[in-house]
């Protein structure tokens, strides 16, 4: 198995992350972000995480979905922000 799950010492190779901050979420209708797997859900948000790794600024984004305000958010997609 490849990647971090195939290497029992992956944690020793991980690069530190500093200055992590989550930006305010952007609300979308699921139809607006249909390609992300949000189709069929009632509510969708995009949240961007900004951070520094090896002193370089980076961003990574997450699409969160749920059907009602009583449900927890689930991540349905992620990638470079």
């Amino acid at each position: 198995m490849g990647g971090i799950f195939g290497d029992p010492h992956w944690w020793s190779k991980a690069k530190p992350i500093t200055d992590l901050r989550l930006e305010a979420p952007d609300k979308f209708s699921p139809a607006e972000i249909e390609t992300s797997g949000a189709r069929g859900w009632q509510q969708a948000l995009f949240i961007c995480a900004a951070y520094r790794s090896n002193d370089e600024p980076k961003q990574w984004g997450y699409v969160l979905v749920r059907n009602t305000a009583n449900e927890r958010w689930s991540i349905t997609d992620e990638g470079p922000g």
Side-chain angles (χ1 to χ4, degrees), residues 38-70:
R39 186 176 188 173
W41 294 91
Q42 298 298 312
Q43 301 174 17
L45 293 175
F46 177 79
I47 295 184
C48 186
Y51 59 96
R52 294 186 74 76
S53 180
N54 289 339
D55 283 330
E56 293 182 31
K58 307 272 184 181
Q59 287 188 330
W60 201 258
Y62 301 90
V63 176
L64 308 177
V65 294
R66 68 181 182 182
N67 284 319
T68 69
N70 294 328

Side-chain angles (χ1 to χ4, degrees), residues 4-81:
I4 65 170
F5 301 107
D7 181 354
H9 302 289
W10 67 266
W11 54 269
S12 66
K13 299 172 188 167
K15 296 183 174 32
I17 292 175
T18 59
D19 302 325
L20 175 64
R21 68 181 157 74
L22 296 177
E23 297 177 1
D26 293 323
K27 291 183 182 179
F28 292 96
S29 73
E32 291 178 288
I33 48 178
E34 192 172 310
T35 59
S36 69
R39 186 176 188 173
W41 294 91
Q42 298 298 312
Q43 301 174 17
L45 293 175
F46 177 79
I47 295 184
C48 186
Y51 59 96
R52 294 186 74 76
S53 180
N54 289 339
D55 283 330
E56 293 182 31
K58 307 272 184 181
Q59 287 188 330
W60 201 258
Y62 301 90
V63 176
L64 308 177
V65 294
R66 68 181 182 182
N67 284 319
T68 69
N70 294 328
E71 291 180 351
R72 293 180 181 191
W73 291 99
S74 296
I75 298 172
T76 189
D77 201 1
E78 50 85 28

